[in-house]
Amino acid sequence: MKSESRATRKVVHTGAAMRAVRKVRHGPGLEVGVASIPKAESQEVLLEVKAASLCGTDLHIYDWDEWAASNVAPPLTVGHECCGVVAEVGDEAEGVEVGDLVAVEGHFFCDNCPICRIGRRHLCLNMRLFGVTVDGCFAEYVRVPARNVWKLPPDTPPALGALMDPFGNAVHTVFAGGDVEGKTVAVTDCGPIGLMAVAICRAAGAARVVATDVVDHRLELACKMGADNVVNVSDSDLEEAVDGVDVLLEMSGHPEAINRGLGVLWPGGRAALLGIPPGKVEMNLAEQVILKGVSLHGVFGRRVFETWERAANLLKKVDLTPVITHSFPLEDIEEAFALIRSGECGKVVLLPPGNLKAVQGERSIVETGRYNPLEYLDAELAALKSQGLLRTPPVLEGACRARCRINGREVVNLSSNNYLGLCDDLRLKEAVVKATESHGVGSGAVRTIIGTQDLHLRLESKLAEFKKTEAVLVFQSGFTANAGTVSAILGRQDHIVSDRLNHASIIDGARLSRAKVNVYEHSDMDSLREKLEEAQAGARESGGRVLVITDGVFSMDGDIARLPEVVEIAEEHGAIMMVDDAHASGVLGANGRGTVDHFGLHGRVDVQVGTLSKAIGVLGGYVAGNQALIDFLIHRARPFLFSTSHPPAVTAACIAALDILLAEPEIIDRLWENTRFFKDGLISLGFDTGASGTPITPVIAGDEAAAMELSDRLFEAGIFVQGIAFPTVPQGSARVRAMVMAPHTREDLGYALEAFERVGKEMGLIP
């Protein structure tokens, strides 16, 4: 007798509306729309989808290639990899209860045909494919046969639970036709299933694992998952790089990859083919298979449930969290597919809202209380936690000084942008008090109404003189200065040529402008020329303009832009030139005027962005340029138009800080003396500090977990230096980012170097 609780613990309005990703017609594309919540039939369960993941099959359906056109019949809800909570149980369903956390076996077998009866349910003659021939899981709710669910431990992060289907594919492929212990294995294609296969081979005792791909980012992930050798076959010959392999695991379905893989397979070897080719594949069957005595194994899905059992056991040895690199709300399906096409990702997870949304007056009813439209964030946070990236912001107890108190501990502060120590300068404090007494605590409005005070004009005039430009406009932050300027001066018809490592505010401004973005490789002038020529060609066709933009100092690596060359190339092509000088303001150039002054490029950079929040020690950003630029931004820059202006205290403190820079340039000299001392010390200890040429000094640990451990252990030793990992920096280049300040004493920095040496040796980061 079934329990009453499982039918009543959660009530769902079946037939009401929910969000879903649908294939509504023949041809390329998918649509996010509204579908009806299905009803669980007698032997089915209804799942509330907690997380789903994208797969190559979904890409085939999106593109509507030959395979999809032959197998998919719209309209259809797509998606077949998911994790969910059982919301309703059919009358005759057994072995599952409401509230169970489950993954789904996506091959819906009949259990009655001759193939099912001999234990090959994954090859059922009456197969229905989840998300291919029946509605799938890119939705808020989905119904599936009760016999197709696999119970997960209740504390499983949903994002990891959604990977059970592809992980099963990887397990099935690795062991198709035999074991891999002691064998040399080639994994062709380092998509998510290929990455999982690498980790499985390593856990199963393979002697050597070789991974191939055409994207360096994915090959970096393969190294992280345990590959001994990686080969980028776009610029290297696999047969030259690899003597031969015993086992080929072909994951891509690409004809060239299949032939290339068979070419390095030893006589008597075996090949397991999982990837689905887009059409027919030409190959030399005699030379590559028959005469070599090669065994070919086609792999389809997972053995039910033999593979699931094996996968569950392997999960105790294999960490899948590095495979998950991105997650998106269900509505952002187009952005998710674009990322997959770029190849710059591992597994991409979709997060449905979690409960029925209010659509035309309908709501889900959960006995525990109010409908929570933000429940999907739980899965997002769980994914971050599983990757070791869920952090709590540290708490500064007092002023930001060279030595300060953070989270209850006295530490040497190496993580502040307060390069010159002006945050706590007495003269700035006195300016704050005086301005508050004369002008009040707030400006009262946006600049264009009544929020422009005489103090704002004094600051802008002083900044224009400081930067040697006609005019300056102050924004609420450096981020809004960048984003507001780029989005104001460019439009859909224009083109942007941007350094790959530019700050997020530049990237967001480019997106807001809707201009076409051409990204050149970091500080690579040949790449800049190539992308600039592409942009010019596009601009001629669209009638638009071209903007070249770079950071002056790159915030994660501390290297200085090759600005004279960038400016010269921009001038050759008649492009607008823009520099974000956030980390150069107050650091480089005479009196801290920035990289334009540092390189003697006054009058050749059209748009300069600076910050008042770092070396200046206060808050805000600004744009410097000619009068026409500033007048235009006053009328079109949305952050300027729609945000209240700086309070008098902030404005007055900025003015006081500029006065100090002009009167006391020796404060910048002290910053550089400390920088050289500390940087030389780290290098002599054997640390990798990258290409830094500024007070920003990365100490590169490589592995994300190692960087976070280094940060934590240094904190215990009395040094505060934050760890930085993907996606802020590329995977495999995680680091702690140290930044010295002018007020640091040699005692402070010597103490820090001793801690770095001790912890670095204990962790094996230095000899």
Side-chain angles (χ1 to χ4, degrees):
M1 180 179 295
K2 71 177 183 180
S3 169
E4 283 295 317
S5 64
R6 72 175 186 177
T8 59
R9 279 172 55 192
K10 188 160 187 175
V11 180
V12 179
H13 286 299
T14 56
M18 67 174 180
R19 304 292 288 174
V21 178
R22 303 272 289 167
K23 187 78 172 181
V24 296
R25 61 182 61 86
H26 293 261
L30 294 170
E31 294 183 12
V32 180
V34 175
S36 296
I37 295 180
K39 175 179 173 56
E41 300 298 337
S42 61
Q43 296 184 0
E44 295 179 329
V45 294
L46 181 69
L47 303 183
E48 182 182 3
V49 180
K50 292 297 183 183
S53 55
L54 286 167
C55 166
T57 300
D58 305 314
L59 195 59
H60 285 298
I61 296 173
Y62 184 103
D63 291 340
W64 203 245
D65 61 15
E66 181 181 337
W67 175 87
S70 300
N71 290 278
V72 179
L76 176 84
T77 298
V78 299
H80 62 278
E81 300 175 0
C82 73
C83 173
V85 172
V86 176
E88 288 184 356
V89 179
D91 293 337
E92 299 179 19
E94 297 180 353
V96 65
E97 300 286 338
V98 168
D100 286 343
L101 184 69
V102 299
V104 178
E105 165 53 60
H107 288 189
F108 295 175
F109 50 89
C110 72
D111 222 13
N112 191 48
C113 71
I115 299 298
C116 284
R117 288 201 297 270
I118 63 172
R120 296 178 180 173
R121 296 184 181 94
H122 64 296
L123 300 175
C124 172
L125 296 177
N126 303 310
M127 182 78 68
R128 295 180 301 147
L129 295 177
F130 193 32
V132 177
T133 61
V134 298
D135 282 332
C137 60
F138 290 173
E140 297 180 59
Y141 290 87
V142 65
R143 68 176 185 179
V144 299
R147 64 187 174 207
N148 279 75
V149 300
W150 178 268
K151 287 187 181 180
L152 299 169
D155 60 348
T156 302
L160 285 178
L163 267 56
M164 285 301 294
D165 176 296
F167 186 60
N169 285 340
V171 171
H172 191 183
T173 307
V174 170
F175 298 108
D179 212 335
V180 295
E181 184 175 3
K183 293 181 171 59
T184 299
V185 184
V187 180
T188 55
D189 186 78
C190 294
I193 298 178
L195 294 172
M196 295 176 195
V198 168
I200 294 165
C201 289
R202 176 59 57 227
R208 186 162 64 105
V209 182
V210 179
T212 75
D213 206 287
V214 296
V215 179
D216 287 336
H217 170 73
R218 286 162 45 142
L219 293 172
E220 291 171 6
L221 285 176
C223 291
K224 184 171 295 188
M225 299 304 288
D228 297 291
N229 302 92
V230 294
V231 181
N232 188 323
V233 291
S234 68
D235 54 28
S236 299
D237 186 278
L238 183 60
E239 292 192 26
E240 292 182 2
V242 179
D243 293 334
V245 299
D246 302 299
V247 180
L248 168 65
L249 307 178
E250 209 302 299
M251 306 295 190
S252 70
H254 195 286
E256 286 187 23
I258 294 171
N259 281 286
R260 190 185 296 119
L262 291 172
V264 298
L265 194 59
W266 285 114
R270 74 172 190 267
L273 311 179
L274 176 72
I276 300 175
K280 295 179 180 179
V281 177
E282 291 187 10
M283 59 186 295
N284 190 330
L285 193 62
E287 294 291 335
Q288 294 179 305
V289 178
I290 298 172
L291 296 179
K292 288 172 66 174
V294 166
S295 300
L296 292 183
H297 300 268
V299 180
F300 186 49
R302 299 142 299 281
R303 290 185 176 272
V304 183
F305 277 94
E306 174 190 335
T307 301
W308 286 83
E309 292 281 1
R310 194 165 197 171
N313 289 328
L314 277 166
L315 273 180
K316 300 172 185 176
K317 303 178 181 179
V318 175
D319 179 15
L320 295 183
T321 52
V323 176
I324 304 173
T325 59
H326 296 80
S327 59
F328 292 89
L330 189 69
E331 288 79 2
D332 291 347
I333 187 73
E334 291 288 345
E335 189 174 351
F337 271 115
L339 178 64
I340 289 177
R341 291 182 195 285
S342 75
E344 299 294 325
C345 64
K347 198 64 173 175
V348 176
V349 173
L350 295 179
L351 301 171
N355 278 311
L356 175 62
K357 284 187 174 182
V359 181
Q360 297 179 345
E362 294 288 342
R363 280 188 182 271
S364 65
I365 302 172
V366 183
E367 283 191 1
T368 53
R370 177 187 175 272
Y371 153 68
N372 179 15
L374 296 177
E375 188 178 355
Y376 70 93
L377 296 178
D378 293 337
E380 182 100 4
L381 291 169
L384 288 174
K385 185 175 182 180
S386 70
Q387 297 170 58
L389 299 178
L390 188 65
R391 311 282 285 185
T392 300
V395 178
L396 174 64
E397 303 166 18
C400 181
R401 302 187 178 104
R403 283 185 180 256
C404 55
R405 187 175 182 84
I406 297 174
N407 288 350
R409 181 184 291 271
E410 296 292 334
V411 294
V412 174
N413 176 12
L414 289 177
S415 275
S416 171
N417 296 320
N418 182 25
Y419 293 113
L420 304 179
L422 295 179
C423 281
D424 193 43
D425 191 280
L426 179 61
R427 290 162 290 185
L428 271 67
K429 294 178 184 179
E430 291 172 345
V432 165
V433 172
K434 184 177 180 181
T436 301
E437 289 176 345
S438 62
H439 287 70
V441 297
S443 65
V446 300
R447 290 281 299 269
T448 52
I449 298 178
I450 198 176
T452 295
Q453 298 179 320
D454 56 343
L455 287 173
H456 294 124
L457 298 181
R458 282 176 54 195
L459 173 59
E460 288 168 344
S461 175
K462 186 173 285 287
L463 280 169
E465 182 180 355
F466 182 72
K467 297 292 287 185
K468 299 183 179 180
T469 59
E470 290 182 9
V472 160
L473 189 66
V474 170
F475 285 74
Q476 294 78 6
S477 68
F479 197 108
T480 58
N482 263 328
T485 299
V486 176
S487 61
I489 66 175
L490 298 179
R492 191 187 301 274
Q493 75 282 2
D494 299 318
H495 290 251
I496 297 170
V497 181
S498 176
D499 189 288
R500 182 171 293 281
L501 296 188
N502 275 344
H503 191 263
S505 57
I506 294 173
I507 296 169
D508 283 5
R511 289 172 176 168
L512 288 169
S513 74
R514 296 175 293 178
K516 168 69 175 176
V517 180
N518 301 72
V519 178
Y520 66 92
E521 296 305 318
H522 176 52
S523 288
D524 184 329
M525 297 302 102
D526 291 335
S527 178
L528 170 59
R529 287 182 184 277
E530 177 186 347
K531 296 301 179 181
L532 188 49
E533 287 168 5
E534 290 177 9
Q536 275 197 314
R540 283 193 294 270
E541 185 175 331
S542 64
R545 304 168 183 82
V546 177
L547 169 76
V548 175
I549 186 167
T550 181
D551 281 353
V553 171
F554 292 90
S555 61
M556 291 300 114
D557 291 295
D559 56 323
I560 303 172
R562 296 165 62 178
L563 196 57
E565 296 168 82
V566 176
V567 169
E568 183 176 347
I569 293 170
E571 288 176 340
E572 288 175 5
H573 292 78
I576 304 166
M577 185 66 228
M578 179 171 173
V579 174
D580 172 14
D581 244 354
H583 283 277
S585 300
V587 176
L588 289 171
N591 302 91
R593 285 181 168 87
T595 54
V596 172
D597 186 88
H598 175 73
F599 288 112
L601 297 171
H602 290 293
R604 299 177 66 185
V605 175
D606 305 293
V607 185
Q608 297 183 54
V609 172
T611 183
L612 304 167
S613 310
K614 295 180 171 61
I616 302 301
V618 194
L619 177 70
Y622 60 87
V623 177
N626 64 29
Q627 190 65 54
L629 170 67
I630 301 310
D631 289 344
F632 184 80
L633 292 176
I634 289 172
H635 291 83
R636 288 292 184 269
R638 294 175 72 83
F640 178 85
L641 291 168
F642 297 106
S643 293
T644 298
S645 59
H646 277 144
V650 167
T651 310
C654 291
I655 294 171
L658 284 172
D659 288 339
I660 293 171
L661 285 180
L662 291 169
E664 302 176 16
E666 60 270 18
I667 192 174
I668 302 173
D669 296 336
R670 286 201 300 273
L671 170 66
W672 280 98
E673 289 170 6
N674 284 344
T675 295
R676 287 186 285 271
F677 174 80
F678 185 68
K679 199 184 296 285
D680 289 346
L682 287 172
I683 293 171
S684 68
L685 290 173
F687 284 105
D688 179 3
T689 61
S692 172
T694 65
I696 299 171
T697 304
V699 179
I700 299 171
D703 180 72
E704 276 77 5
M708 296 307 168
E709 181 185 353
L710 177 60
S711 173
D712 291 341
R713 292 179 65 169
L714 285 170
F715 184 74
E716 292 299 318
I719 308 298
F720 181 69
V721 55
Q722 284 285 61
I724 298 173
F726 178 84
T728 306
V729 295
Q731 287 192 315
S733 65
R735 77 280 306 268
V736 296
R737 182 179 61 159
M739 291 178 283
V740 301
M741 300 162 55
H744 275 130
T745 65
R746 287 299 165 92
E747 181 183 357
D748 294 333
L749 298 177
Y751 179 77
L753 288 170
E754 289 175 4
F756 266 97
E757 180 179 17
R758 183 171 63 255
V759 174
K761 288 182 176 178
E762 290 172 356
M763 291 182 61
L765 297 176
I766 56 174

